[in-house]
Amino acid sequence: MRPPTRISAHSRNPYEELAQLADPEPDYANYVPRDPLELGLTSDLDDEDDWSPPNHRGQSRLAALPAVVKLTVAALLCTVCLLLADRLAEAYAQSKAADKLQQSLSLATRPDVDIHGFPFLTQLIDERIDQVDVTVPDVSADRVSLAEVRATAKDVRIVGDAPTSIKGAVIGNLDGEVLLSFDDLNRELGASQLRFTGSGADGVRVNGELAIAGQELRVRARAHIRRDNSRALTTTLDGMQLDIPGVATYRPGKDADHSGLRLHRETAERISREAARAKALLAVPAIVDRLGVSKEQVRRALRSEEELHRLTGAPKFAERLMKVNLVDVVIAHPQLLEKAGIDPALVKGLLAVRPPELSERLSLSFELPDSLSELRLRDITVERDGIKARVAGSGLRVGDAARPGK
């Protein structure tokens, strides 16, 4: 048996001795997990020293896209840029072409130019345009203006160094249409107060008023349209008549049955009712012969009021009088005019107007401008809104290309 231990006054504190005998406290700061079973298992805390928070700002979203997507987007952007450049170049070329046409053809109005074909830049580099549509709203042509000219130019060869220095163009083939509007004709020839309307495939009706000797006479005529030398459109007038309202009708021409100066029915009936005027006409042998009345009847009528009334009161007398051509009669007997109730100055001015002069005043003719010498007129038709003609040509030069040696 072990003897009891003595405790000296100088011995250690028992609590300190117990503390030394206890297990040491774990060092959490330098703790390294272990695999006590040696199963190859590790804790998530093994990589604790290597972990760092993700850097969301340091990486681009585009860099995260696949390479195929990047190439597709780049190709689309290039295509859009090329399309935009092509359209802008075409618009610029159309504007410059319109300026060149207006300058070279001396047009009062800037034309509208529309270039076809895609892409435009390849055509420009090749210095040849497939098709160009041109619309000119107003072209001066002799006495009148063409209301509209539409043309389609094909196989257009550019003259100059494209695209930097374009001097002009040579048009391989051109096909178009010109319109001579009736509205424009009515406005441009409005001084004569005439109106033009269509009347069949090649005819135009002319109606209105014409001033003769200070008086307005009603005019009616028909103009026939035809081509002249493949570059001009001319008219031939027929069926023309000028009416002195309530008095007579004048038809110029050499046709004895239809031309001349003839009284209206109301005038013929008034003369047949008024003895003084009837005797004045019966006193002219040329009128008596054309009336188909015997000289004996006329002699009795001039001597007796009763016989005069019997002669002029016959139903056929006024009709016979209406058929008498008074042109040569009034020239030889001007005093008859006033007795018949006709103003002598009016008839004198009327007879002074000859068919060629009237034709000139009512002319619908026009000729293509000299600057378009390569063009030719083709089919001509009269439609509701005006006269239309097809134009065609080749080798038409525009701009500086029109100059010799270019």
Side-chain angles (χ1 to χ4, degrees):
M1 181 174 178
R2 186 178 180 181
T5 303
R6 294 180 181 179
I7 300 174
S8 171
H10 300 285
S11 63
R12 298 180 180 179
N13 189 334
Y15 294 103
E16 291 180 357
E17 292 179 356
L18 291 175
Q20 291 177 358
L21 295 176
D23 293 332
E25 295 182 1
D27 186 3
Y28 291 101
N30 297 317
Y31 175 75
V32 176
R34 297 178 179 179
D35 184 10
L37 300 180
E38 297 182 357
L39 297 177
L41 300 176
T42 60
S43 171
D44 292 340
L45 297 177
D46 292 345
D47 299 331
E48 183 177 359
D49 293 340
D50 298 332
W51 180 87
S52 60
N55 184 6
H56 296 287
R57 297 183 179 179
Q59 184 179 9
S60 173
R61 295 182 179 179
L62 183 61
L65 294 176
V68 175
V69 177
K70 294 178 183 178
L71 291 176
T72 303
V73 172
L76 288 176
L77 289 176
C78 291
T79 302
V80 171
C81 291
L82 289 175
L83 287 174
L84 182 60
D86 190 83
R87 296 301 88 191
L88 290 175
E90 182 181 274
Y92 177 77
Q94 290 176 164
S95 177
K96 297 298 290 185
D99 294 337
K100 282 285 186 182
L101 283 174
Q102 184 177 13
Q103 179 182 4
S104 61
L105 301 180
S106 300
L107 301 175
T109 307
R110 190 171 185 267
D112 183 20
V113 178
D114 185 13
I115 299 176
H116 293 261
F118 180 82
F120 168 72
L121 289 175
T122 58
Q123 298 182 78
L124 187 62
I125 294 174
D126 192 40
E127 296 185 352
R128 190 172 295 272
I129 307 299
D130 296 335
Q131 179 177 326
V132 180
D133 291 340
V134 180
T135 302
V136 185
D138 185 22
V139 178
S140 177
D142 199 11
R143 295 182 61 220
V144 297
S145 296
L146 302 178
E148 187 177 70
V149 177
R150 293 180 177 270
T152 297
K154 296 184 178 181
D155 190 20
V156 181
R157 180 171 59 84
I158 297 175
V159 176
D161 298 327
T164 57
S165 177
I166 299 177
K167 298 179 179 179
V170 179
I171 299 174
N173 293 287
L174 186 141
D175 189 25
E177 181 181 81
V178 298
L179 170 64
L180 185 59
S181 171
F182 288 137
D183 291 338
D184 290 341
L185 286 173
N186 295 335
R187 182 176 62 254
E188 295 183 26
L189 302 179
S192 301
Q193 298 182 5
L194 299 175
R195 294 293 177 269
F196 300 87
T197 56
S199 176
D202 66 342
V204 177
R205 287 193 298 270
V206 184
N207 295 278
E209 295 181 345
L210 193 64
I212 301 290
Q215 296 191 33
E216 297 293 335
L217 306 185
R218 288 196 298 267
V219 180
R220 285 185 291 175
R222 179 181 170 88
H224 296 278
I225 312 299
R226 71 174 188 274
R227 274 190 305 122
D228 188 12
N229 297 328
S230 299
R231 288 188 47 78
L233 180 150
T234 59
T235 56
T236 302
L237 291 175
D238 64 6
M240 180 185 297
Q241 66 179 47
L242 295 91
D243 291 333
I244 307 172
V247 179
T249 297
Y250 174 62
R251 295 182 177 88
K254 298 180 180 180
D255 188 353
D257 294 332
H258 300 92
S259 63
L261 179 65
R262 303 175 191 274
L263 298 176
H264 289 174
R265 176 175 294 277
E266 54 265 38
T267 303
E269 291 177 349
R270 185 172 64 250
I271 291 175
S272 64
R273 292 193 302 267
E274 298 179 10
R277 294 181 178 181
K279 287 182 178 181
L281 291 178
L282 292 175
V284 180
I287 295 179
V288 173
D289 292 341
R290 296 172 188 177
L291 284 173
V293 181
S294 66
K295 295 181 179 180
E296 182 61 27
Q297 286 180 302
V298 172
R299 188 180 301 110
R300 290 198 302 266
L302 293 176
R303 293 178 180 178
S304 171
E305 294 290 336
E306 184 177 352
E307 291 294 332
L308 178 63
H309 179 70
R310 184 180 295 111
L311 176 62
T312 58
K316 294 183 179 181
F317 181 82
E319 294 181 3
R320 290 178 178 178
L321 189 57
M322 290 171 57
K323 295 179 181 179
V324 176
N325 184 0
L326 299 178
V327 171
D328 54 347
V329 176
V330 296
I331 292 176
H333 306 277
Q335 71 278 2
L336 290 177
L337 298 177
E338 291 183 353
K339 293 182 178 180
I342 303 174
D343 183 4
L346 175 59
V347 176
K348 184 177 180 180
L350 187 62
L351 298 179
V353 178
R354 301 302 179 188
E357 181 180 348
L358 282 175
S359 298
E360 176 64 22
R361 296 182 68 175
L362 304 180
S363 175
L364 307 178
S365 304
F366 75 84
E367 185 174 359
L368 292 174
D370 294 336
S371 55
L372 301 175
S373 59
E374 295 85 356
L375 293 184
R376 295 292 182 269
L377 289 173
R378 293 293 183 259
D379 303 326
I380 298 176
T381 59
V382 178
E383 300 184 4
R384 183 175 182 179
D385 53 347
I387 302 170
K388 290 185 178 180
R390 193 173 69 86
V391 293
S394 60
L396 179 64
R397 297 177 177 270
V398 180
D400 292 343
R403 299 176 183 176
K406 296 292 182 180

